[in-house]
Amino acid sequence: MTEAQMVAALRAKGYLIREPELIRIGRINVPKPLMTPPPIGTPCWRVVIDDIPLADGLPWDGCEYDKIMLNRRILHLTKENAEAHAKALIKASGGTYE
């Protein structure tokens, strides 16, 4: 399920959905990463800039590694947001991701 489909389904059930907050990396606005721990079992995506895939999925289990990634502000709830974050970091440092 895409983020847009998820939002549409929640809105159909009567939930109020806010637009995502953004952060600026260089000249690019990207969705803000997680700032607080999600519930145990929540699917998360880690920003990756040192490998071919730009995002790596993991379920939040609250372990020390998860907390480190949260504190580094590189966890997102969607793969698309993590990839956008990775691309912005690479571009801001003068690199390319193609």
Side-chain angles (χ1 to χ4, degrees):
M1 178 180 283
T2 67
E3 183 177 5
Q5 292 169 326
M6 206 178 318
V7 168
L10 289 170
R11 284 188 172 142
K13 292 181 179 182
Y15 288 93
L16 178 63
I17 308 296
R18 295 184 320 188
E19 293 299 318
E21 292 183 63
L22 301 175
I23 61 169
R24 191 164 184 88
I25 299 174
R27 295 181 178 176
I28 302 168
N29 290 324
V30 297
K32 188 176 183 179
L34 288 174
M35 304 299 278
T36 57
I40 298 294
T42 300
C44 296
W45 292 88
R46 178 177 61 95
V47 173
V48 176
I49 62 170
D50 65 342
D51 203 352
I52 300 297
L54 297 174
D56 183 27
L58 62 142
W60 177 267
D61 66 8
C63 69
E64 193 61 32
Y65 178 80
D66 288 354
K67 292 174 186 174
I68 290 168
M69 297 303 104
L70 180 72
N71 289 335
R72 290 183 181 176
R73 304 294 189 244
I74 59 170
L75 286 181
H76 290 270
L77 293 177
T78 68
K79 182 178 182 179
E80 295 79 14
N81 289 355
E83 288 174 342
H85 191 153
K87 288 176 181 179
L89 289 171
I90 292 167
K91 190 168 183 177
S93 67
T96 61
Y97 48 85
E98 310 315 275

